[in-house]
Amino acid sequence: MAENESVECITEHERILQEIESTDTACVGPTLRSVYDDQPNAHKRFMEKLEVRIRNHDREIEKMCNFHHQGFVDAITELLKVRADAEKLMGQVTDTNRRLQDAGREVTAQTEEVIRCRIQQRNMTTTVSVFLRHYAALKTMEQLEKVFIPRVSRYRFCQIMADNLPKLREDIKDISMSDLKDFLESIRKHSDKIGETAMKQVRDRSDCVVCPSQAQQHRTFNSVVQKQDSGMGYTKPVLTAQDLVDFSPVYRCLHIYTVLGDRETFENYYRKQRRKQARLVLQPQSNMQETVEGYRRYFNQIVGFFLVEDHVLHSTQGLLTRAFTDELWNMALSKITAVLRTHSSYCSDPDLVLELKNLIVIFADTLQGYGYPVNRLFDLLYEIRDQYNETLLKKWALVFREIFELDNYSPIPVETEEDYKSVISRFPFHDAEIEKQDFPKKLPMSQSVPQIYVQVKEFIYASLKFSESLHRSWTEIDDMLRKSTNLLLTRTLSGCLQNLIKKPHIGLTELVQIIINTTHLEQACKYLEDFITNITNISPETVHTTRLYGLSTFKDARHAAEGEIYTKLNQKIDEFIQLADYDWGMPESDGQASGYLMDLINFLRSTFQVFTHLPGKVAQTACMSACKHLSTSLMQMLLDCELKQISMGAVQQFNLDVIQCELFASSEPVPGFQGDTLQLAFIDLRQLLDLFMVWDWSTYLADYGQPTSKYLRVNPSTALALLEKMKDTSKKNNIFSQFRKNDRDKQKLIETVVKQLRSLVNGMSQHS
């Protein structure tokens, strides 16, 4: 029984293997699942069977490869031999194709000329056939009137015929005039299409060809009309001649009115109607300035109108004159320039102004090719260029403000060589000392500096775009670029910097970084000049060019930042001094400097450590300004008129605080001061306090006015004011109470000193 099961299992496995070999792989899953659904160990036997089958197939594949190997090698060898011949053949085919193209180019041109001539012939045939019917009728009437009717004039019907002939002539005139009116209506509708096609041809050629001659432009317009007639398109299908433009009504009506002796009437009518149409064409849409498409439609209609006039001028004799077309064009120029000047002034988008400029250039080049003078249009472009620059300046003002708002006002960290190269690729920074440092390191300027530099270059590129195609020399373009860049630096960037410096959130650290930033931007101005020179190839050494005023811009910003540093530093000192809380009646000092003053000095120390990155003179000036302001503020506190009494203990405490100020000044918080220059900021306070601490009035009064006086900086009025605060006016605990107890003569001495001080003060006032 087991043997039968084994045989059945083997048979089943053979069947499954055959299915796997012959069935799509998507259906293999259910087949394999049946292996596991059978006997418990059937899948192992199946795997063994599968291994045997795979080895058999591998041997068959190997035999087949061995059998075909030599043939494959021979085929590859033959293919390598053929490759050289194939390359040679390819060269011959390419050369043959080139010569065939060269040979066929003339044939193609002649074929197009033949097609053009046949289209002209067909149009002429159609026009002549229609015209001949009217012409034949007129000739017949003339023969009847002059030859045949006089012969039979005695018959009454002849008189009826003779009476009807003028009416028939008028009917012919009316028919031709009706055709002319239809033509005028049609040409008004299709002028924009004619103008669009002509401007497109000029635009397509503008990259490689100077504006074509008048004769070439006439041929261009003819080809426009003819290609539209024939259905030969440009980038999209165009209307046929019957749908677009057909000049035969003009020629027919002109000839009929000429034959009938009424040519002047026709000429006056045609010119009057075209004047009316010109005024309609020149009337802009109310919202034309909002999109470039509005300007494009406006220009297309005008170009189409004057191309039609030019065609009629050259295809008829006397219907139009150059004086008439010049009159129309001058009227149009005045209207066009007024419209563009008004509408462009509303444009706030520089991209739209630039597109308008490109349209005006193509518009001018197109009409100039037909002999219409366009100098006034290019003069207008110079006005629009100023408007374009204004829109650029407004746009870049927003760019600069955003850069300043996002700046962290910290030196740029560079972790790797790649980071360093990334920065200097955007900004020309070179510092031998920093280059020697190991990574990571920091560059002195903050991230806004390379961003500003890149944006100035982007502005120059944007400004250059307007100067293209204006038919100006590179010297003039160079001058334009430098002037517009000067405006960007001296007005826009300068204004943004000045506003930034005045912002409340900009503190001392940020101001220090701004000064460092402006220093590096100032140094980069020469690279901006080189950048413009590389664009225009106009060297300042060979041609007198406008220099960039960036140096003054950044110097002014730096001076403003320095002034703001002095102001904010003094404001910070005032904030600390407002925290002072002296007990002006204390009997004696506690022997320690006041807490507020020590906090102030610590703040100044940390602040001046940041100032080490500033130019030396700026840091020294800031330090000297802070010490002078501190000294002045302390003196004002001591002499405050609302302060009525001061004890000697308070003076001693005040003296301890001034000593700390002097120690700070002597610790060289900012390097570069010579000797005791910084301590001299507190000399007035020091001499005044020494005078009261030592009570050395005899020396003061004896040496007063002498250059060698020990108390030379003590003003009598200052000494008197302080002494008045220390007099015994309350009869209570006072510095002078000990004098009253011990020696009343000293009180008299003080009174004497007060009198002498008052005498000195009065003498000074009388002398002044």
Side-chain angles (χ1 to χ4, degrees), residues 55-148:
R55 285 196 296 272
N56 291 338
H57 282 302
D58 287 342
R59 284 194 293 271
E60 290 177 3
I61 291 172
E62 186 176 356
K63 290 178 182 179
M64 185 175 294
C65 289
N66 290 335
F67 179 77
H68 292 288
H69 174 70
Q70 187 58 43
F72 176 74
V73 172
D74 294 341
I76 292 297
T77 304
E78 289 295 325
L79 188 60
L80 291 173
K81 293 179 181 178
V82 170
R83 183 174 66 178
D85 294 335
E87 292 176 350
K88 181 178 179 182
L89 180 61
M90 186 62 185
Q92 293 176 348
V93 170
T94 303
D95 184 62
T96 302
N97 178 64
R98 180 183 55 76
R99 288 189 282 107
L100 183 61
Q101 292 290 339
D102 293 341
R105 188 172 290 111
E106 184 177 354
V107 176
T108 302
Q110 292 177 350
T111 302
E112 291 180 354
E113 184 67 18
V114 170
I115 293 173
R116 186 181 64 80
C117 291
R118 288 184 177 177
I119 292 172
Q120 282 184 334
Q121 184 181 25
R122 189 196 68 187
N123 292 341
M124 291 173 61
T125 301
T126 302
T127 302
V128 169
S129 63
V130 175
F131 166 72
L132 285 178
R133 290 198 298 270
H134 293 95
Y135 182 73
L138 291 174
K139 292 298 292 183
T140 300
M141 285 189 289
E142 184 180 7
Q143 286 181 334
L144 284 173
E145 193 173 35
K146 294 184 178 180
V147 179
F148 297 111

Side-chain angles (χ1 to χ4, degrees), residues 546-597:
T546 304
R547 308 295 299 187
L548 293 185
Y549 301 141
L551 299 177
S552 60
T553 293
F554 298 123
K555 284 181 180 177
D556 293 343
R558 189 158 55 253
H559 292 329
E562 292 169 5
E564 197 66 19
I565 283 179
Y566 309 146
T567 301
K568 287 187 180 294
L569 198 54
N570 292 344
Q571 290 173 351
K572 201 69 178 177
I573 292 172
D574 292 340
E575 292 176 10
F576 279 99
I577 289 179
Q578 287 175 2
L579 300 176
D581 187 19
Y582 286 104
D583 179 7
W584 296 109
M586 66 171 59
E588 61 180 12
S589 170
D590 59 9
Q592 294 181 348
S594 303
Y596 87 92
L597 190 78

Side-chain angles (χ1 to χ4, degrees), residues 107 112 152 207 210 308 338 378 514 517 529 591 598 602 646 712 758 767:
V107 176
E112 291 180 354
V152 290
D207 294 336
V210 181
V308 167
F378 282 99
I514 289 172
N517 289 351
E529 290 200 339
M598 297 308 298
N602 290 332
I646 300 177
L712 181 64
R758 285 175 179 169
H767 179 71

Side-chain angles (χ1 to χ4, degrees), residues 214-231:
Q214 183 173 338
Q216 289 173 322
Q217 283 279 31
H218 293 325
R219 290 196 294 271
T220 298
F221 174 71
N222 290 335
S223 67
V224 169
V225 176
Q226 290 153 8
K227 287 188 178 182
Q228 289 169 340
D229 286 347
S230 65

